[in-house]
Each structure stands twice: as structure tokens, then as C-alpha cells.
Amino acid sequence: MTISIWRYSHLILAVSSALFIFIATVTGIILALEPISNQIQPFAVDNANDLSLAEALEILHNEYEGVITLEKDENDFVIASIITAEGKNDMFYVNPFTGEKLGELIKKKPIFEFATNLHRSLFLKSTGRFLVGLFSFFLFLIAITGIKLILKRQGGFKRFFAKVVKENFEQYFHIVIGRYTLIPIVIITLTGVFLSLEKFNLLPSDKLVHKNIENTSHAESIGINGFHVFQSYTLNELKSLEFPFSEDEEDYFILNLKDKELYINQYTGRVMSKADISLVSIVSTWSMVLHTGQGTFVWAMVLLLSCIAILFFMYSGFTMTIKRKKESVKIKNKYTKDEAEFILLVGSETGHTQRFAKQFFDALITANHTVYLDQLNKYSTYKIAKHLIVFTATYGEGEAPSNAKNFEGLLKMIRQKQTVKYSVVGFGSLMYPDFCKYAIVVDALLQKQKNFIPNLPLFKINNQSHDAFKTWIQQWNESTSQDLKIQLTKPTVNKKRLKNFEVLNITDCNVDDTFLLQLKSLKKQKFKSGDLLAFYPEEDHIERLYSIGRVEDTILLSIKKHKFGVCSKQLSTQKQHNMIKARIKRNLDFHFPIYAKEVIMIANGTGIAPFLGMMNENTLDIKTHLFWGGRTQQSFQLYSKLIDKAFKKGYLSSFNLAYSREEDEKVYVQDVLMEKEKLICNVLQNKGVIMICGSIAMQNSVLEALNIITESKLQHPLSVFENNEQIKMDCY
Amino acid sequence: MRKINIFKIAPLLIVAVFLLFGFTLKQPSSTYKCMIQMTNYTGEGAYIIISLLNPKGEYEKTLYVQGDDDEWYFDITEWWNFQGKKRTNIDAITGATISGGERAISVIEIADDKIDQGYKVRFETAVEDQEYHADDVEFELTSESVKSKVEGKGFIRYIRLMPQ
């Protein structure tokens, strides 16, 4: 497993602090409920914040024997501490308009008390507080490295919220949820660290200092409702007001406002002294509010969701790590670098590319070749090498993966003595504008070297497609007259998950050896056109996927019988009413976009199957255009009935056919697209969607054609629309 | 001489009778406003226990508790030896902890017959991870001291008492 320093730190920090972060998060979830439950208490009084202090004080004065304090808590509830007619002290939520008691103070529930203690000190007092502060800081670093990793993966700030390539459930949601919660997590952790520092007296003192307290005199005694200072502030600015302890003239009102503290003479109402609240204290208040969510329902909810997200990150992060560990392949070379004729070099960030290289390595070994597998960074001299095969991923914006960073430099320095044939296979995702960019770089670098001659042109593989990899193997076999077979690990199939399907109809094979198979599930199952039907033939248990067209609640498959195809052969011999075992796999990314205004469907060969279903269910009046490429007019006969039906119903607005074997001039589907560039531009500009289904070769040519159109007519590369989820693909 | 003596004794007797009846009906007591002003110490909020001690120096009654999380009470050792055994209900006389530099005003109730009888009032303070002061403030309960200001030795700068 090769990983960059960022990824490594992200992981190491997470592993080392997992236990503490887990405790803090679980208690955090509990604690986030406290402000939420407090906020829904009925102690808030409408418009109370507009009431002036003078009015509020007069009301309280008339209602009670004596008042000790009047304050507002973090929930904006007004609390009065008063002396009753019996001389007893009472403290409660008060309605400042009437002086009426609204209810007893909320007592902190024991569960919150317990969670608070565990959350901030793990019941370890100072030691615990230190640990919590430290791990809060660790979590902050994890968030920062996380942001850095997302930036690298997505390729810059602008693409931070661009579509994420889905490799698997954990990876996808780790990133998607991460993008939205990283900012709250940074806030939670920083405020957490701040609050811990505060407990350790590491911050400048935030105590208020009153310098010159004016001498008191009650020369001009006026009633408190005449106090100018009380008239000028409303309850909105109030934090707390403490009444004079006694009638002694040395005692005064202490008025705490949000930004200052005032001492007020109890007879004249003059402000005797004013102290501004220090910056540290303001930051401290804000930290408290941001960290605990007290007083704000919405922020408390954000905190709650962030905590739940952290738990999910822990789960998904560790699952990913374990999966990668399992998938990562150790290089076990049988031969040294100078004994091997075939040199395989790998540039891999997450280990996926390495796996493909290992499969090729094994295939060569089985064919009794001398092979040497290594990282691109270890490039060196290879005494008897005849072939150099580079498998490389691309990181970020066309950068080298972490174990290939030094390759460029090494290649310039180290010369091979003999000539070596080279082939480059690039791995990447079409969703990035720089698809396989680093592979292109490597290919160009090798081309410049005199001792290297190309064996195969650069081959790009999208989203780790096994089928594309097989295609490349075929090319390789042809170019070197070998017969390598890639050993895909025979997966175990969970037979319980397979369902019975009845054959309703099967057509004979047409000129292209293609036939239609109509199936019905015995049990009611949810599926849509574009979902996949998976077969697992007994021979190899390798999953074969066919795109489903849903026609009148049945499953319609278009299958091409391959000469050596195990599965297609088996299916072609089915008879009506036979039972077949298979499984429906949902393929949410390739469903008909009912939200779009206009849809273009592009397919070749059997790739038309899902579209046959979609076009016959398009009841929403979405303008739909079909482009299909086949060999001859006869090939089209198989589908003409369903297409005519859709066309007559008005579900299909236009269809364009391209035949590659009909006339002297070969016409492919991408050629027809180039003729209809206006339609394509219109659809893309009107937020329409283009769907592509068929072979990888067709996909690549179509994407190239579309890219030419968008770049020349719309001044944007196709990847812009792809990120906008306007391009949907299902190719094999 | 005798006459005068009887005259002198009479009010005392009346008072004594009143007091006797008073005891059987309801203890006459007064409430006092009590302000605690803390020093500018740094750290957590202080737990403060105000107790009434009998002339022998034993705890007689808890007057007020600043600090509402009972799991820290056992840190206030001397008082806890008394309260921990009896566990009287102190909910009605419990307030929040007080931090450095702050002050708090509470209302405490003291039976009138304890005044000028050698009883004492004690303020105990404890702060998490810091010292514990068993007698931060301690003074004899007299008709003078219930309207006075007393300096503290630990976390308390001073306390002030005032009859209601």
C-alpha cells in the first residue's frame, strides 16, 4: 500500500486518537440534545428583548418584596431572583411584562451532568482535561488533512464540491459527508482546544478591571425608573443586573451587558464606572456558544449531525483501511531486475492500480516468462529487459501518484543499454478533466527516450473497468503473439441472493448473433430500465452484467452471443418457461433522468437495451432522441418494433441510425453525432442529459466527439457537463 | 430590692415563656441576605458551603450550598462527614458555583435563638484541582455579626450579611 504523507497522517492521527474521539463524540451527541431540549421549553416570552430595563425593573419592583438579580440565560429566558413577601428567596423564569413566574429553573439532567464530565475530563480531572484538549487538537488536524485530501482528490478549490467518483459506499460517503461537516468539525475542535486552554490558565486573564470608581453621593436622589441608563438599554443587551446589596450608599447596581459592565449609583442612577469586556472573554463566550450550541436550536442540530458524521467517518475510514489492506498486494518478485525480460512498473496512490499490475504479473509468470514488478519510483537499469509496461494512476490535476514522483528525474538520469519496447496503461476517471493525464505524461517521456520504442499505444482505463483491462490484454496478446489469460479470483457467489426468473420470450439470433431475451421475476422486485441483471455461470462464478430494459414490467435483455462466451451461449439456448437464476443490481446512476427537459440516448449494439425500456416509459413528455450504431440494417430489425412503438406514441422525438457495414463508407454513431452538433449543444445548454450505453470503444469515440463539440461550440470541456451530472454512462 | 428584682425578672420570664411556646409551635427565625465576593483566583467555579456550628464546634445545620453537582460534595470533607451521614434535603438551599472575581447573593435563614449563644457560621470552599478551605470564613453568630462584613482566608475575599 502506497500512501502520501497527508493520507498517512490522516490515518495515523485517526488510529491514535480513535478511542478518545469515540468517547467525546458519543457524549457530544448526548450533549447536543441538551440545548435542543432546553430550546423547546416554553419559557421564552415574545418581544421581551424590546422591553427597556427601566420598564422591566418597575414591573418586578411592584410585584415583589425585593429583587436580588435579573438575568438572561443562554436560551434567552429571563430569570429573576427575588425575595418573597415571607422573606424567602426564590429564583425562576419570569415574564418581564407581567412579573409572573413562568416556571422553575431547568435542572440539568443527571445524564447531561454525567456526559459533560466524561466529555471534558473523562472523570480524570486535570489529566482528563489535558487529554481531551489534546485529542480535540488531533481531531482538528484530522479535519485539516481531510480537507487537504479532498482538495487533492477533487483537483483544487473550485472543484471542492464537484461530483465525487464513487468507488464504494464507504469511500463515497466519507468524502461527500466530509465536505459538508469538515467546517463544523474544525469549529468544534478549535473551540474545544480553546476551552481547554482556558482551564489551564494558558490565556491572558479575562477578568474585568474597574479602575476609578467615582465617589458616591445621593445628592439628587431619583427613583430607579427615572434612571437614564436603565431607559437606554433593553433586555436584548442585558446579560445580568445585580441589585445593590443594601441601602448603604456604597452599594450599587452592577449591570452586565454583552460588551461591558457598569456600576450604577443606586440613588442617582449615574454610571460610576465602566469596564469593557476583554477580547479573551468575548472569544471565550463565543467558543462556549459554538462548542455547546447553547441557545441556538439550529447550531445545536448542526453539532449533533457533525457528531453523528464523525462516528460515520470512524466506521467508514477504518472499513476502507481494512479493505485496502486486504486488497493491497505485496510485490513478491521471483526474479531480480536484471534477470527479467518483462519489467512492470506501477504508479499507484491507493493500491487499485497495483492490483491490475499484479494480475498481469501473475499471467506472465504462468506463461513462464521472467517478470519483475516494481514501483515507478524505483526505476533503474534492467540488463536483459525487452518489454517495459507501465501501469499508472493519476493524482489530482495530472500529478504523479506518490510512488511515481521521482520517475521523471530517474528516467532522464538512467539509460538502458538495449532497446526496450514499452506500453503504458493509464487508470483514471472520466469525471476529472485530466483523465489519465499522468499516463499521457509517462507515455510522452518514454517516447522521447531513444532506447524505448512503443509496443502498444497508450491505453486508458476508466473507473477500474475490468472489461477495459481485458480489452487491453487482448491488444497485448495480438501485439506480442501471446495468449495471456488474466486470472480473476473466482468469487464466491451467495446463492441465497439469487432469484428465479422465468423466460417469457427469446428470439432467434440475428445476423450479428444477437438476440432478445425477455424475463419475468417470479417474486415482485423493484427495478427500472438501466438497472443490471447479474448472472453467475457455474463454470467460473464470474459476474456477467446485462443492462435491463423494462418493458411492460418484464425484463428485456439484448445479448450478443460470443464465440467463447460462457454465459451468452448458455442464455442463447434457453427455451420459453425455463427458469434462470440471477440477481438484479440497482444502477441508480443510469436511470432515466425524469428531472431533465431533454434527453439524448446514445448506444451501439446491444447497449440499446436500457433505452428500449426507457423510451417506452417516457410518459412525462420529455423530449428524447436516440442515436444508435449497428452493423447493418438487418441488425436494426431486432429492435425496430419497440422503437416504432415509442415513436408512434410520441415518446421518442427522433432517432438517428449509423451503419458501419452497410455502404462503402463506414458510418459510426460518433459521426452522426458530429452532424447533429446543434441538437447536442441545445440539450446540454438546457440542462438536458446525455446517456451513453455500449462498448468502451464506442464510449471513448463518442466522448471525444462530444468534447470536440462542447469545446468548439460551448467553450467548455465535456468534463464540465459531466460534473454537472449531465452525462450518464454505462459501458462495458 | 426584692421588688426591683421581680421587676427585672418579669420580662425575662415572659420572654422565656414566649420562647417555650415558640419552640413548640414554630421556631422563630429570620432571613438574611448574604453576599459572597470571591478573590480573583483562576480555575473552576468554587463550591461553597455555609453551615451553622454549635458552641462545641460541631455541625448543626447546612444553611446554603453554592454548587449543585453532588458528585463533588465528598471533596468538601469536613462538611461531608456531617451531611454525608444525614443526607438532609438541601435542594431548596442550593445555588450555582461561583467563579473567581464573581460575587453571589443568597438568602439564608437562621433561627433567632442561635444568635448570641456561641453558635458560629462557617463558609467552606473547595475548587476542583485546587485547595480546600475548611474555614475560609468563620465567625461567631451575634446580633452584631449578622450585619457585618467578614474577610475570607481562601477563595473568598469577603462576605457580607444583612438582615432582611
Side-chain angles (χ1 to χ4, degrees):
Chain A
M1 193 164 56
T2 52
I3 36 179
S4 70
I5 182 78
W6 290 102
R7 195 185 292 272
Y8 190 70
S9 337
H10 194 69
L11 179 66
I12 288 298
L13 285 166
V15 171
S16 59
S17 47
L19 182 65
F20 289 94
I21 293 178
F22 181 77
I23 294 173
T25 311
V26 172
T27 49
I29 289 176
I30 298 169
L31 291 174
L33 297 173
E34 193 185 9
I36 293 174
S37 73
N38 285 348
Q39 279 285 299
I40 53 177
Q41 300 281 346
F43 302 130
V45 177
D46 290 340
N47 307 324
N49 275 341
D50 300 332
L51 193 68
S52 83
L53 276 180
E55 287 172 278
L57 294 186
E58 195 183 353
I59 293 160
L60 288 177
H61 219 80
N62 293 341
E63 197 74 13
Y64 300 105
E65 192 70 20
V67 186
I68 298 175
T69 57
L70 177 68
E71 59 187 290
K72 225 171 57 185
D73 73 359
E74 63 275 0
N75 298 312
D76 260 6
F77 300 158
V78 183
I79 299 173
S81 173
I82 54 94
I83 293 162
T84 60
E86 299 87 49
K88 295 269 167 64
N89 179 217
D90 198 5
M91 203 169 175
F92 47 76
Y93 295 114
V94 73
N95 180 339
F97 288 104
T98 60
E100 172 197 3
K101 175 173 176 173
L102 293 175
E104 297 292 340
L105 299 191
I106 302 170
K107 210 169 177 293
K108 203 173 164 108
K109 294 198 179 70
I111 173 80
F112 293 139
E113 200 80 60
F114 173 82
T116 308
N117 274 322
L118 189 56
H119 188 80
R120 66 176 175 204
S121 65
L122 310 162
F123 291 109
L124 295 172
K125 297 191 173 174
S126 281
T127 327
R129 278 178 198 274
F130 172 76
L131 289 175
V132 170
L134 181 71
F135 288 110
S136 181
F137 184 65
F138 277 15
L139 185 56
F140 167 71
L141 292 181
I142 293 173
I144 294 296
T145 49
I147 291 174
K148 179 78 192 166
L149 285 172
I150 292 183
L151 285 175
K152 271 192 137 187
R153 169 183 275 271
Q154 294 292 86
F157 273 107
K158 277 190 197 153
R159 295 177 45 86
F160 193 75
F161 284 102
K163 200 179 165 190
V164 176
V165 181
K166 187 168 183 174
E167 283 167 27
N168 54 48
F169 170 80
E170 287 86 11
Q171 166 265 355
Y172 183 73
F173 286 102
H174 201 85
I175 297 169
V176 170
I177 299 176
R179 292 193 298 202
Y180 292 101
T181 47
L182 279 173
I183 301 300
I185 290 173
V186 165
I187 293 173
I188 292 171
T189 50
L190 280 185
T191 52
V193 171
F194 184 89
L195 292 172
S196 301
L197 288 180
E198 204 179 40
K199 298 296 174 210
F200 285 100
N201 309 326
L202 293 175
L203 297 170
S205 163
D206 60 347
K207 294 283 180 294
L208 281 171
V209 187
H210 285 270
K211 281 176 190 144
N212 308 309
I213 300 172
E214 203 179 289
N215 279 335
T216 53
S217 73
H218 56 284
E220 340 90 76
S221 170
I222 49 173
I224 59 162
N225 37 6
F227 285 11
H228 176 71
V229 60
F230 289 156
Q231 284 163 353
S232 58
Y233 292 111
T234 62
L235 286 184
N236 186 36
E237 288 118 317
L238 175 81
K239 251 166 65 181
S240 70
L241 174 66
E242 198 179 283
F243 282 63
F245 181 68
S246 71
E247 285 171 8
D248 194 286
E249 51 188 85
E250 274 173 20
D251 285 318
Y252 38 78
F253 284 101
I254 301 177
L255 176 59
N256 268 296
L257 300 168
K258 279 178 181 153
D259 55 344
K260 55 183 176 276
E261 188 178 77
L262 304 177
Y263 290 172
I264 298 158
N265 183 303
Q266 64 167 313
Y267 293 104
T268 66
R270 259 227 305 273
V271 176
M272 299 152 57
S273 171
K274 189 178 111 177
D276 287 319
I277 284 171
S278 70
L279 183 68
V280 176
S281 158
I282 292 171
V283 175
S284 169
T285 313
W286 271 103
S287 291
M288 199 68 185
V289 170
L290 288 174
H291 196 83
T292 60
Q294 52 182 223
T296 61
F297 187 85
V298 177
W299 183 249
M301 283 305 282
V302 171
L303 295 179
L304 177 67
L305 294 176
S306 304
C307 282
I308 295 171
I310 293 176
L311 286 186
F312 174 76
F313 293 149
M314 297 181 79
Y315 157 75
S316 57
F318 287 125
T319 314
M320 273 193 284
T321 310
I322 292 164
K323 269 191 185 170
R324 284 212 179 113
K325 266 257 151 64
K326 272 189 193 161
E327 282 177 4
S328 75
V329 196
K330 279 236 171 77
I331 303 176
K332 263 193 201 148
N333 278 310
K334 264 183 162 178
Y335 306 95
T336 65
K337 69 183 179 68
D338 294 325
E339 292 167 4
E341 288 182 20
F342 295 85
I343 308 294
L344 314 186
L345 294 180
V346 181
S348 179
E349 185 75 27
T350 53
H352 292 303
T353 306
Q354 175 101 1
R355 225 169 57 237
F356 284 97
K358 181 70 170 44
Q359 285 175 2
F360 189 63
F361 176 86
D362 290 341
L364 283 169
I365 292 279
T366 337
N368 284 323
H369 290 295
T370 52
V371 200
Y372 182 73
L373 176 68
D374 209 344
Q375 304 177 357
L376 275 166
N377 266 349
K378 301 264 178 70
Y379 179 76
S380 164
T381 53
Y382 306 104
K383 274 186 185 155
I384 61 160
K386 287 181 182 159
H387 276 279
L388 173 74
I389 306 103
V390 176
F391 298 88
T392 184
T394 298
Y395 200 51
E397 289 186 325
E399 284 167 47
S402 54
N403 67 351
K405 293 242 185 310
N406 307 327
F407 174 69
E408 194 173 341
L410 289 170
L411 187 66
K412 277 177 192 154
M413 274 160 46
I414 301 166
R415 291 277 143 116
Q416 305 296 337
K417 294 219 169 85
Q418 74 284 26
T419 44
V420 181
K421 288 183 169 181
Y422 73 88
S423 318
V424 178
V425 185
F427 292 81
S429 169
L430 277 164
M431 266 164 43
Y432 297 115
D434 305 296
F435 179 48
C436 290
K437 178 117 173 248
Y438 186 66
I440 299 171
V441 170
V442 171
D443 196 52
L445 287 171
L446 289 169
Q447 210 158 31
K448 279 191 220 155
Q449 296 277 323
K450 275 181 194 154
N451 292 9
F452 285 101
I453 49 169
N455 175 46
L456 278 177
L458 169 64
F459 193 88
K460 300 174 190 170
I461 290 176
N462 179 28
N463 287 346
Q464 301 161 25
S465 157
H466 277 272
D467 296 301
F469 189 58
K470 273 195 212 153
T471 315
W472 178 79
I473 296 283
Q474 270 172 18
Q475 288 185 13
W476 165 268
N477 284 344
E478 280 164 26
S479 74
T480 57
S481 357
Q482 289 181 338
D483 186 24
L484 296 183
K485 287 202 178 65
I486 293 301
Q487 292 288 317
L488 290 164
T489 39
K490 184 173 171 176
T492 46
V493 177
N494 187 352
K495 291 233 163 113
K496 276 182 195 157
R497 296 185 67 182
L498 297 182
K499 299 273 168 9
N500 277 316
F501 292 85
E502 187 191 348
V503 176
L504 287 184
N505 219 332
I506 179 164
T507 65
D508 291 329
C509 287
N510 72 356
V511 280
D512 300 327
D513 264 341
T514 305
F515 61 95
L516 289 179
L517 180 65
Q518 199 175 11
L519 303 171
K520 190 175 175 60
S521 169
L522 283 196
K523 274 189 192 150
K524 211 177 149 95
Q525 285 195 71
K526 237 174 126 176
F527 71 97
K528 268 187 168 177
S529 296
D531 285 339
L532 303 164
L533 193 63
F535 294 101
Y536 304 89
E538 278 302 323
E539 280 84 346
D540 53 10
H541 279 180
I542 295 171
E543 184 180 78
R544 310 293 206 290
L545 296 171
Y546 293 94
S547 222
I548 295 175
R550 181 182 174 134
V551 177
E552 286 149 5
D553 296 331
T554 65
I555 294 169
L556 185 70
L557 305 179
S558 171
I559 301 163
K560 186 177 164 97
K561 195 172 112 187
H562 290 279
K563 226 182 192 174
F564 304 106
V566 179
C567 188
S568 57
K569 224 173 193 175
Q570 235 173 51
L571 291 174
S572 72
T573 56
Q574 294 294 336
K575 296 267 145 49
Q576 219 173 359
H577 305 308
N578 275 4
M579 286 295 173
I580 308 179
K581 285 213 178 272
R583 185 158 78 90
I584 290 177
K585 285 183 108 175
R586 304 306 307 263
N587 186 15
L588 304 178
D589 285 339
F590 203 68
H591 283 174
F592 188 73
I594 45 171
Y595 51 86
K597 282 198 187 125
E598 213 165 342
V599 177
I600 293 179
M601 300 165 165
I602 304 168
N604 75 338
T606 55
I608 197 173
F611 298 145
L612 291 175
M614 290 176 197
M615 67 176 74
N616 278 298
E617 285 186 344
N618 176 20
T619 48
L620 290 166
D621 247 2
I622 297 167
K623 259 189 148 184
T624 309
H625 313 272
L626 175 72
F627 289 82
W628 183 72
R631 288 154 81 94
T632 60
Q633 276 183 352
Q634 261 179 305
S635 325
F636 179 66
Q637 296 301 318
L638 197 58
Y639 315 114
S640 60
K641 231 169 95 185
L642 279 167
I643 292 178
D644 284 345
K645 204 167 131 194
F647 198 66
K648 271 179 197 144
K649 276 196 271 185
Y651 292 164
L652 187 64
S653 308
S654 75
F655 66 99
N656 302 275
L657 304 173
Y659 297 119
S660 59
R661 299 288 156 84
E662 197 60 54
E663 284 153 43
D664 300 337
E665 201 186 341
K666 291 181 177 176
V667 184
Y668 291 102
V669 70
Q670 60 268 27
D671 303 325
V672 184
L673 285 173
M674 291 301 271
E675 286 166 19
K676 300 269 178 184
E677 53 180 27
K678 216 171 158 190
L679 171 74
I680 288 158
C681 291
N682 278 341
V683 169
L684 286 178
Q685 275 177 322
N686 294 332
K687 307 223 163 122
V689 172
I690 296 182
M691 303 182 79
I692 308 170
C693 185
S695 68
I696 301 261
M698 184 258 341
Q699 178 194 27
N700 287 334
S701 332
V702 164
L703 289 175
E704 224 165 90
L706 292 176
N707 195 37
I708 292 170
I709 294 171
T710 56
E711 278 191 337
S712 62
K713 301 285 163 194
L714 300 175
Q715 281 77 47
H716 285 302
L718 188 64
S719 57
V720 169
F721 300 99
E722 181 140 25
N723 277 309
N724 227 354
E725 308 199 14
Q726 283 181 271
I727 312 284
K728 288 168 172 269
M729 289 178 286
D730 186 32
C731 292
Y732 37 82
Chain B
M1 287 288 271
R2 251 190 119 77
K3 248 184 189 175
I4 295 163
N5 269 341
I6 291 165
F7 257 114
K8 273 193 173 172
I9 292 162
L12 268 175
L13 277 170
I14 293 165
V15 168
V17 167
F18 260 108
L19 279 175
L20 262 169
F21 276 106
F23 274 128
T24 49
L25 296 169
K26 192 180 176 245
Q27 268 184 356
S29 63
S30 306
T31 54
Y32 302 86
K33 246 186 182 176
C34 167
M35 179 173 89
I36 304 170
Q37 171 70 54
M38 308 302 285
T39 61
N40 280 335
Y41 78 92
T42 45
E44 288 292 291
Y47 277 75
I48 301 172
I49 313 282
I50 311 175
S51 330
L52 183 69
L53 308 185
N54 67 20
K56 284 185 225 155
E58 294 158 343
Y59 285 89
E60 174 125 347
K61 194 177 177 214
T62 305
L63 299 176
Y64 207 84
V65 178
Q66 302 278 13
D68 48 8
D69 187 354
D70 53 13
E71 71 190 280
W72 302 103
Y73 286 169
F74 62 86
D75 277 355
I76 308 153
T77 37
E78 294 203 13
W79 171 70
W80 189 243
N81 283 338
F82 160 73
Q83 168 69 9
K85 280 174 210 147
K86 292 178 84 180
R87 305 282 174 123
T88 44
N89 187 3
I90 51 170
D91 272 356
I93 48 166
T94 304
T97 57
I98 320 174
S99 300
E102 285 185 356
R103 61 183 216 175
I105 297 170
S106 51
V107 174
I108 58 176
E109 191 175 353
I110 302 173
D112 293 343
D113 66 332
K114 302 289 191 288
I115 301 191
D116 295 327
Q117 298 294 321
Y119 281 82
K120 280 181 172 174
V121 176
R122 164 184 276 197
F123 291 69
E124 258 161 285
T125 54
V127 172
E128 191 184 328
D129 291 328
Q130 296 189 42
E131 322 83 284
Y132 157 63
H133 297 279
D135 55 351
D136 201 328
V137 173
E138 196 173 298
F139 57 88
E140 201 175 317
L141 195 59
T142 64
S143 41
E144 271 312 304
S145 71
V146 295
K147 45 188 174 187
S148 69
K149 176 174 164 183
V150 187
E151 302 283 326
K153 289 184 270 186
F155 297 110
I156 297 176
R157 172 168 297 148
Y158 62 80
I159 65 104
R160 280 176 70 187
L161 268 185
M162 196 181 69
Q164 268 287 250

